Amino acid sequence: MASEFDLIDRYFKRVAPAGMVGVGDDCALFGVPAGMQVATSTDLLIEGRHFFPDVDPRALGHKALAVNVSDLAAMGARPIGCLLGLALPEAREFWLAAFAQGFHAMADQAGCPLIGGDTTGNPGALAISVTVFGAVRPEAALRRDAARVGDDIWVSGTLGDADIAYRLLGGHMPADAALLARTRTALEWPQPRYTLGPALAGVAHAAIDVSDGLLQDLGHILKASGVGARLAWDAMPVSSALAGLPPARVRHAVLAGGDVYELCFTAPADRADAIRRIGAECGVAVSRIGAVDAGGQLVVLDADGTPLRDLPRGFDHFRSS
Amino acid sequence: MASEFDLIDRYFKRVAPAGMVGVGDDCALFGVPAGMQVATSTDLLIEGRHFFPDVDPRALGHKALAVNVSDLAAMGARPIGCLLGLALPEAREFWLAAFAQGFHAMADQAGCPLIGGDTTGNPGALAISVTVFGAVRPEAALRRDAARVGDDIWVSGTLGDADIAYRLLGGHMPADAALLARTRTALEWPQPRYTLGPALAGVAHAAIDVSDGLLQDLGHILKASGVGARLAWDAMPVSSALAGLPPARVRHAVLAGGDVYELCFTAPADRADAIRRIGAECGVAVSRIGAVDAGGQLVVLDADGTPLRDLPRGFDHFRSS
């Protein structure tokens, strides 16, 4: 059997992109365009905590990178590259090949090549660390503390799918193969908005990616910016896959469901046309779901303008901190 | 008891250094001086694999960052900042406080502040990921493939201590409290050469930090550069703490002992005076231990010029990736 080193070389060592030093030196090297800063984010994912042990390794490779690329997008940063750390219980060639395939496909798609990393054996559970780098003009970065009173609040894509799939897979909802088939891709193959995010830099004010649930993540923006917000339930881009589910279930999935990786962002009201044009150019639906106000509250209004009561808070799925 | 979030905030959330966005946004942001590239490296450390479960958490915090700062030094890069991922079996406040103290002290010392990270619970073993960033002029970076025939080969500091301490702690040598007391600091509190490394950029050719053993790590340089080397045993900076140990034990510790984090580097022979001056300015001993040649071999000569036989190869200590 091939040694662990050989397997790593086979599946993870690629030729470094032009202008970079890649896997195989003490450090990877990369440049940043003049006037731009480096945006960086890291995730540490543990089997049994952040993903099901029997998850498709190709999907896991995709998602491990996708959720980090999503952080770049939420900052308005264009991807540069990434680092991968893997602590493997055993060198399973089949598993590594599939994981690497999913990871590299996401990297190629987002223009975020693997430029370095660290691999090791591990007597315990599989652990995966991913660090991403991007470039952004600091004055245009989409910071959490940049929401302003009067801003519109927007969200990309549709909401609710991933939460339903998670509940079905975890046995927290009655088995429903057709519903799982409609929602599972959203949970296991999230599409980070790496084109939309950088396109919004300099137009939108604040942004965050929806990882813990819309209300909780928007709450981070409101808290950091010292503002409140009113959202309109009727404006929410509810996934069509949720048709027929009980209204309370839908509301919870849309407002509190995590693992979404759509962007929630605020922008001046007079830039609404620009936001719609950017969405169209990026091929991503964008929905105006509310507005920032000076209150300290986050309320969701129904069609009659009545605040919804007992709003679900975001919860943590796999990622409880 | 304080929640995990509170503990993380208490011990890891610091005010971001000027010009950076720190912990608390989707990404951390940092700038790079004009004409410089970003050097980056990541390590994923697992309890029971890379460190003893009962290690002093303050020392562990120090070392987790130190070994990554050492990678920057080996590239000739000046530290900018770092990211930390922690997967904790439980939120032990005492442990976190001590780990954070050791980590921040190393960060302050090396000018490598914590600017972001990820923390999570973990049902299994403690896992730590550290990613560091530094700045280096790409044309001056100390790359592994840059050694040239005729270069001198140098090593910083002294060699042998960490290997002996590891063997004593692991029960692979008869207990010797006095010897352990003399060698343990080298293993648990390695001092990365973050001043020497950047000072060598543009003067030295190739460099690596000695993590797996001098012969093995120098071997990486030779292989990447397509050259060979002859070393002089008598020129090796053997730690004085090893006095009285059997010669074979000393030889193994010096030539193959890992976890050292001294720099091994090559430089043109006519820059020897400059190297010595840089070492003196950085307060780090530097020893010329051999020269690069055109052969494909790595030989070590004794005082008579006879090649040592049965050279120990580097081995992996904790890090057998």
Side-chain angles (χ1 to χ4, degrees):
Chain A
M1 184 182 164
S3 80
E4 201 176 308
F5 263 129
D6 292 340
L7 292 175
I8 297 305
D9 273 4
R10 187 176 310 161
Y11 295 114
F12 294 109
K13 200 164 186 172
R14 292 177 152 201
V15 176
M20 297 186 186
V21 171
V23 178
D25 215 308
D26 299 290
C27 292
L29 294 183
F30 63 86
V32 191
M36 304 192 96
Q37 283 197 325
V38 178
T40 183
S41 179
T42 193
D43 262 354
L44 181 52
L45 307 173
I46 308 288
E47 182 177 65
R49 176 83 182 188
H50 299 93
F51 53 89
F52 294 113
D54 61 351
V55 68
D56 171 4
R58 203 163 56 91
L60 183 61
H62 167 92
K63 187 166 175 177
L65 180 55
V67 302
N68 280 280
V69 167
S70 181
D71 282 322
L72 293 179
M75 208 75 192
R78 207 169 290 281
I80 293 175
C82 64
L83 305 175
L84 170 66
L86 272 181
L88 293 165
E90 51 193 8
R92 294 166 289 184
E93 181 159 4
F94 161 83
W95 190 95
L96 267 179
F99 180 89
Q101 188 185 23
F103 192 95
H104 286 311
M106 177 77 254
D108 291 345
Q109 185 191 326
C112 194
L114 182 67
I115 58 172
D118 183 35
T119 52
T120 178
N122 177 8
L126 173 65
I128 304 167
S129 75
V130 177
T131 304
V132 287
F133 316 106
V136 65
R137 293 191 184 282
E139 67 279 11
L142 303 173
R143 296 176 56 151
R144 291 188 185 177
D145 61 4
R148 297 291 171 260
V149 172
D151 277 2
D152 288 333
I153 299 171
W154 299 78
V155 71
S156 65
T158 62
L159 301 172
D161 281 350
D163 184 69
I164 298 300
Y166 173 80
R167 289 171 179 277
L168 289 167
L169 287 171
H172 309 301
M173 275 176 67
D176 183 333
L179 183 59
L180 180 58
R182 292 201 302 273
T183 56
R184 186 171 191 163
T185 300
L187 179 67
E188 297 186 342
W189 295 87
Q191 290 301 316
R193 301 307 187 185
Y194 52 84
T195 308
L196 179 65
L200 292 172
V203 180
H205 280 158
I208 195 168
D209 64 328
V210 181
S211 54
D212 295 330
L214 178 66
L215 297 190
Q216 183 166 319
D217 289 316
L218 175 57
H220 292 314
I221 287 181
L222 302 180
K223 186 178 175 194
S225 302
V227 294
R230 300 166 84 84
L231 304 181
W233 170 255
D234 279 1
M236 294 292 161
V238 180
S239 166
S240 61
L242 276 56
L245 286 173
R249 173 68 79 198
V250 172
R251 183 185 296 178
H252 194 284
V254 167
L255 298 179
D259 261 328
V260 179
Y261 306 106
E262 295 295 349
L263 297 183
C264 175
F265 54 97
T266 82
D270 62 7
R271 305 306 302 272
D273 287 345
I275 299 291
R276 288 202 186 85
R277 192 183 63 245
I278 290 168
E281 287 169 358
C282 297
V284 179
V286 288
S287 304
R288 185 162 55 169
I289 59 172
V292 175
D293 64 26
Q297 304 294 311
L298 171 54
V299 295
V300 185
L301 306 176
D302 69 13
D304 303 325
T306 311
L308 300 186
R309 297 173 63 178
D310 302 324
L311 284 187
R313 287 199 50 206
F315 72 111
D316 290 336
H317 275 180
F318 300 104
R319 52 170 59 216
S320 35
S321 82
Chain B
M1 185 183 162
S3 81
E4 200 175 308
F5 264 129
D6 292 340
L7 292 175
I8 297 305
D9 273 3
R10 187 176 309 161
Y11 295 114
F12 294 109
K13 199 163 186 172
R14 291 177 152 201
V15 175
M20 296 185 185
V21 171
V23 179
D25 215 308
D26 298 290
C27 293
L29 296 183
F30 63 86
V32 191
M36 304 191 96
Q37 283 198 324
V38 178
T40 183
S41 180
T42 193
D43 262 355
L44 181 51
L45 308 173
I46 308 288
E47 183 178 65
R49 176 83 182 188
H50 300 93
F51 52 89
F52 294 114
D54 61 351
V55 67
D56 171 5
R58 203 162 57 90
L60 182 61
H62 167 92
K63 187 167 176 178
L65 180 55
V67 302
N68 280 280
V69 167
S70 181
D71 282 323
L72 293 179
M75 209 74 192
R78 208 169 290 281
I80 293 175
C82 64
L83 306 175
L84 171 65
L86 272 181
L88 293 165
E90 51 193 8
R92 293 167 290 184
E93 182 160 3
F94 162 82
W95 189 94
L96 268 179
F99 180 89
Q101 188 185 23
F103 192 95
H104 286 312
M106 177 76 253
D108 291 345
Q109 185 192 326
C112 193
L114 182 68
I115 57 173
D118 183 36
T119 52
T120 178
N122 178 7
L126 172 65
I128 304 167
S129 75
V130 177
T131 304
V132 287
F133 313 105
V136 65
R137 294 191 183 283
E139 67 278 12
L142 303 172
R143 296 176 56 152
R144 290 189 186 176
D145 59 5
R148 296 292 171 260
V149 172
D151 277 2
D152 288 333
I153 299 171
W154 298 79
V155 70
S156 66
T158 62
L159 300 172
D161 281 348
D163 184 69
I164 298 300
Y166 173 80
R167 289 172 179 277
L168 289 167
L169 288 170
H172 309 301
M173 275 176 65
D176 184 333
L179 182 60
L180 180 59
R182 292 201 302 272
T183 56
R184 186 171 191 163
T185 300
L187 179 68
E188 297 187 342
W189 296 87
Q191 291 301 315
R193 300 307 187 185
Y194 52 83
T195 308
L196 178 64
L200 292 172
V203 180
H205 280 157
I208 195 168
D209 64 328
V210 181
S211 54
D212 295 330
L214 178 66
L215 296 191
Q216 184 166 318
D217 289 316
L218 175 57
H220 292 314
I221 288 181
L222 302 180
K223 187 178 173 192
S225 303
V227 294
R230 299 166 83 84
L231 305 181
W233 170 254
D234 279 2
M236 293 292 162
V238 180
S239 165
S240 60
L242 276 55
L245 286 174
R249 172 70 77 199
V250 172
R251 183 185 296 180
H252 194 283
V254 167
L255 297 178
D259 260 328
V260 180
Y261 306 106
E262 295 295 348
L263 297 182
C264 176
F265 55 97
T266 81
D270 63 7
R271 304 306 301 271
D273 287 345
I275 299 290
R276 289 203 185 85
R277 193 183 63 245
I278 289 167
E281 286 169 358
C282 297
V284 179
V286 289
S287 303
R288 185 161 57 168
I289 60 171
V292 175
D293 64 27
Q297 304 293 311
L298 171 54
V299 295
V300 185
L301 305 175
D302 70 12
D304 303 326
T306 311
L308 300 186
R309 298 173 63 177
D310 303 323
L311 284 185
R313 287 199 50 205
F315 71 110
D316 291 336
H317 275 181
F318 300 105
R319 50 172 57 215
S320 36
S321 80

